[in-house]
Amino acid sequence: MDDELFWVSGSPYAWRVQLALEYKGVSYASRRMDSAQLAERSLAFLQLNPRGKVPVLNTGNGALYESVAIIAFLDRAHPAVPLFGQTAQEHGRIWQRVSEFENYTRELLDVEIVRPLLRGHAKDDPEAMRVSAARVYDALGWMEQALSVAPYLAGDDLTAADIVALPNIQMMRRVAARPEALAMALGLDDLGARLPALGAWLSRMESMRGYDAAYPPHWRS
């Protein structure tokens, strides 16, 4: 039986796993959930993930949750298209980049930009949002530097580091293109204008194998 992936459209963490599955060409049964189903936290779903969150990958031999852990599992289970490198040095470098994004970049994008705009709080303090936008550019500086010397975050090949970072950045770009964000002149909808290497990377990632198949369905409308 194919692995089952439980996901919600627009969840950056579920999107990471979908990108990994599609890029690797791994077949899976899609179990799309809506926000109401996720909020219910049914007993059946809690048996798969006691934390009640997506993504969850049900392998038939047990369920896995936490997006990076699932990608690591997929890389070991389906090694033909490696995402965590082939040598010890590559493996460590990729995990370094994953950790840099998770520890120093992701939370800033989410907490200071995405959540205020999604929840309608950003308009309460436009100046604070502009300060946060400047902090985001600073936090993306290490990515710009890395991508100035190589096409992908961990070197010449697309890896888990790129797949982990892309959905959160795309989510930020999406909400930063809203009229209220544009009115605040946050400047986060067109990252390539100030970070050209990052902008070129985004274009490469949008043409990666499986990107269209994994793209959040409700974003198309």
Side-chain angles (χ1 to χ4, degrees), residues 175-185:
V175 299
R178 291 184 169 192
E180 60 270 31
L182 296 176
M184 295 178 210

Side-chain angles (χ1 to χ4, degrees), residues 178-193:
R178 291 184 169 192
E180 60 270 31
L182 296 176
M184 295 178 210
L186 301 182
L188 296 173
D189 53 309
D190 182 12
L191 296 176

Side-chain angles (χ1 to χ4, degrees), residues 62-81:
L64 291 166
Y65 47 92
E66 301 301 327
S67 60
V68 181
I70 295 173
I71 295 171
F73 162 80
L74 290 171
D75 210 44
R76 181 65 67 91
H78 306 277
V81 182

